[in-house]
Structures are given as C-alpha cells and as structure tokens.
Amino acid sequence: MTLFEREPSAQRDAEYERLNRIALGLPQPQLEGYQARSWHRQGLFDPQGKGIYLGTTFTTKGGFNMSISISSRMVLELLAGRITQEQFQNYAFRGDNCFEQQLKAGCTIQTARLEKGGLDEDDDQLVFELEPDWGARPLRNPKL
C-alpha cells in the first residue's frame, strides 16, 4: 500500500500506523490490475454470479480404486439451480458422465470428504473415493 499526500503532518502519523496495520493484515494480491479490471467487467466478483471453479481431477490408485475431486462451488451452484445439469457435466467432465462410467464398471462411492483448496481458499473440493462393489457389478461366468 502506498499513500501520497500533498502536505505531510505529524498529526497523521497515528493514522498511518493504523493504515499500515490494516495493510499488513490483508492477503497478498493474486491478480494484476488489468486482470482484476477484466474480472470485474465479466462480473466474476458478483456474489450472485457464477463462480470460478477449480478443475476436476481424477486419481487412479491401482486397479479399480479411483478418486474424483470436484469444485464444491460448482456442486453448490448445481444444487441451487444456478447452473443446469448439462452445464455441470460440461464444466466438470467435458460432457461425459464420469460417475456413470464408474458405476457401469462396478464401482461405487465408498467415502466422500471436503478438502480446502483454491486460491485464497475461495473454492474447496468434494473428493469422492470410488472402489469396486460386487453388488454393482454384472455377474459373468468366468469360464466364458
């Protein structure tokens, strides 16, 4: 933070000290000025607007075990009706329904958790751990 004034005064030193304490408590800026201006023009800081989502990640843990991490803000906006199911699928999975594929493969959600993440922790991720579930797998004759 930089302060420019025309006539410095000794009376304002206490005010400057308070301003400096406030400035030290603020998080470091994550955007350049032109980026912030562009984001404002796009309405990305509007609390009622669509959010900025963390990307969906898939992690395979050997064999059939897999974890899927999805932006919690995106899930909330889907549940709130701000985005459609088609938009959700497009943003999260580029049109494919990954959960449907995993269910067809015989995997189900074994655990789910919330992980902090994102720039300044403004978006978290829902992490779903999928594992094989023999009740969800089609039965096959092993001799065929």
Side-chain angles (χ1 to χ4, degrees):
M1 180 173 82
T2 306
L3 179 64
F4 299 98
E5 64 178 323
R6 293 184 183 166
E7 298 175 25
S9 150
Q11 296 174 344
R12 296 189 191 147
D13 287 341
E15 292 176 19
Y16 297 149
E17 184 60 36
R18 286 192 294 255
L19 286 173
N20 284 329
R21 279 187 291 176
I22 291 170
L24 290 173
L26 295 174
Q28 292 295 317
Q30 302 294 329
L31 300 173
E32 297 291 332
Y34 72 94
Q35 293 170 318
R37 181 177 52 251
S38 176
W39 285 21
H40 271 286
R41 287 180 178 163
Q42 294 175 51
L44 295 178
F45 295 112
D46 179 7
Q48 300 305 313
K50 290 183 184 146
I52 300 171
Y53 312 125
L54 290 174
T56 301
T57 58
F58 304 92
T59 307
T60 305
K61 298 178 181 175
F64 292 101
N65 297 348
M66 174 184 242
S67 73
I68 303 172
S69 301
I70 302 174
S71 164
S72 64
R73 170 87 185 243
M74 187 176 7
V75 172
L76 180 61
E77 289 183 4
L78 172 69
L79 296 173
R82 291 188 182 178
I83 60 174
T84 65
Q85 182 177 356
E86 292 78 22
Q87 288 173 316
F88 176 80
Q89 296 230 161
N90 203 19
Y91 296 151
F93 307 118
R94 295 195 171 115
D96 295 331
N97 189 334
C98 183
F99 286 104
E100 174 65 20
Q101 293 170 359
Q102 291 301 310
L103 188 56
K104 280 183 181 177
C107 294
T108 58
I109 296 171
Q110 297 298 313
T111 61
R113 67 181 184 280
L114 186 66
E115 284 185 357
K116 293 282 187 189
L119 195 58
D120 293 332
E121 297 183 357
D122 61 348
D123 192 8
D124 300 326
Q125 289 194 320
L126 292 170
V127 180
F128 299 95
E129 302 284 341
L130 295 112
E131 295 179 7
D133 183 346
W134 300 108
R137 288 180 162 240
L139 296 176
R140 287 182 268 153
N141 186 346
K143 295 181 181 180
L144 295 176

